[in-house]
Amino acid sequence: MTPASDTLLDGTHTVLTPEYVEFRFTLAGVYSRFLAWLLDALLVLVGTGAVLIVLQFAMVVFPGFASAMAIVVYFLIDWGYAIALESVWSGQTVGKRIMGLRVIQESGVRIGFYHAALRNLARPVDRLPLFYLVGGVAAMASRANQRLGDLLAGTIVVRERRLKVPSALGTTGDEGLLADPLFVSRVKRLTTEERELVLSAAVRREELGIEARLRLFSALGARLQDALAMEKPAHLSDEKWALLVATALLPRPARNAGTRSTPPRPPRPSATSASSR
């Protein structure tokens, strides 16, 4: 679970799933977000400097044009850096990854290019008049610590945590359904969203109350039967059925090791802190 001190300091954001399971995300505070921005700003400055070195000849021949080009290059790298990395890394930049932060949608699912672009194109307003004063004030005034870009894109910044794979997923997978090539091949064809949902449910099942756990795996079991086009064996419970699918998704070394970190992309619900209602 997320430490209570972090929860009190940074606040929480709650998402209720269609199965009536409540997931709580620890919101990133203004201070940690500012440190992440400083790290990213340093990388942007280094990248801009590298490009300007290439344009050094143009600066000597056309000083006025080169100065204007330097400003354009800076904003292109600044915007492009954040938009590209948050799209590819599911809401993370280098600074956010180092600080253990991630951008997700308010609904708890990962962001895409649209959300990354929208929240980052609003940065010039958030930065006014200096050092993100407008964005900082907006974040402190918002219940979910959202700057103007987050309010516009419908996103929040949360703290991540690492989870261990349950011992139930540490099997070798050499018998039963896990040895069936047809079962394994169909599992491998699951969509990214379905894979993340299965793995998220598997690593967090011990955190859920009995009723919420039964509802969650009942709905997940039915969904997996449709997705795999296979009937669940009668002797398996919905939870065991989902755990077998999760085990089949794990790389073989991870199955043998028995532990692994939380999947890097936040699923629906996201791979951040959660607890049952």
Side-chain angles (χ1 to χ4, degrees):
M1 299 297 294
T2 302
S5 58
D6 291 346
T7 300
L8 291 176
L9 179 64
D10 294 333
T12 60
H13 178 78
T14 303
V15 174
L16 187 65
T17 70
E19 293 80 21
Y20 296 99
V21 179
E22 189 176 87
F23 288 83
R24 295 176 184 171
F25 302 92
T26 301
L27 296 169
V30 176
Y31 178 70
S32 59
R33 293 177 64 176
F34 183 72
L35 291 180
W37 171 77
L38 284 180
L39 293 172
D40 288 329
L42 179 61
L43 291 176
V44 169
L45 287 176
V46 171
T48 303
V51 174
L52 292 182
I53 291 176
V54 177
L55 297 176
Q56 188 173 8
F57 176 76
M59 289 184 178
V60 175
V61 180
F62 307 104
F65 171 77
S67 298
M69 181 61 68
I71 297 175
V72 173
V73 167
Y74 172 78
F75 279 102
L76 286 178
I77 294 178
D78 186 27
W79 279 335
Y81 164 85
I83 293 174
L85 287 187
E86 287 184 359
S87 299
V88 174
W89 282 356
S90 298
Q92 285 190 313
T93 58
V94 174
K96 289 186 180 69
R97 177 163 290 193
I98 293 175
M99 295 301 297
L101 310 180
R102 187 184 295 277
V103 183
I104 62 174
Q105 296 183 47
E106 291 174 324
S107 59
V109 302
R110 65 187 182 189
I111 66 170
F113 174 80
Y114 169 78
H115 303 91
L118 206 56
R119 72 185 303 272
N120 283 291
L121 289 176
R123 284 187 183 275
V125 179
D126 278 314
R127 286 172 175 165
L128 295 174
L130 191 66
F131 290 113
Y132 276 88
L133 181 59
V134 171
V137 171
M140 288 186 289
S142 169
R143 291 190 305 171
N145 294 347
Q146 294 169 291
R147 62 177 177 84
L148 296 182
D150 290 316
L151 292 170
L152 181 64
T155 56
I156 56 175
V157 182
V158 299
R159 289 186 177 276
E160 283 202 308
R161 67 190 178 104
R162 294 296 181 181
L163 296 172
K164 290 184 177 181
V165 171
S167 58
L169 300 186
T171 58
T172 59
D174 293 330
E175 55 183 310
L177 277 176
L178 294 175
D180 183 356
L182 177 61
F183 173 73
V184 175
S185 65
R186 292 190 179 185
V187 168
K188 297 300 183 183
R189 290 200 295 266
L190 290 175
T191 66
T192 301
E193 180 184 358
E194 289 168 339
R195 293 184 182 200
E196 292 173 342
L197 181 59
V198 170
L199 291 173
S200 179
V203 298
R204 288 181 175 80
R205 64 196 182 98
E206 298 295 341
E207 301 174 4
L208 302 176
I210 296 299
E211 293 184 5
R213 186 166 167 175
L214 290 173
R215 287 197 300 267
L216 175 62
F217 281 99
S218 176
L220 183 57
R223 177 169 177 175
L224 286 175
Q225 290 187 75
D226 293 337
L228 299 176
M230 294 180 67
E231 289 290 333
K232 176 178 69 68
H235 67 282
L236 292 180
S237 66
D238 290 319
E239 182 171 331
K240 182 62 177 177
W241 168 247
L243 289 178
L244 282 172
V245 174
T247 303
L249 288 172
L250 294 178
R252 185 167 295 273
R255 296 186 206 171
N256 295 334
T259 60
R260 63 175 293 201
S261 297
T262 304
R265 293 184 176 182
R268 188 172 65 115
S270 173
T272 48
S273 62
S275 63
S276 63
R277 188 174 61 174

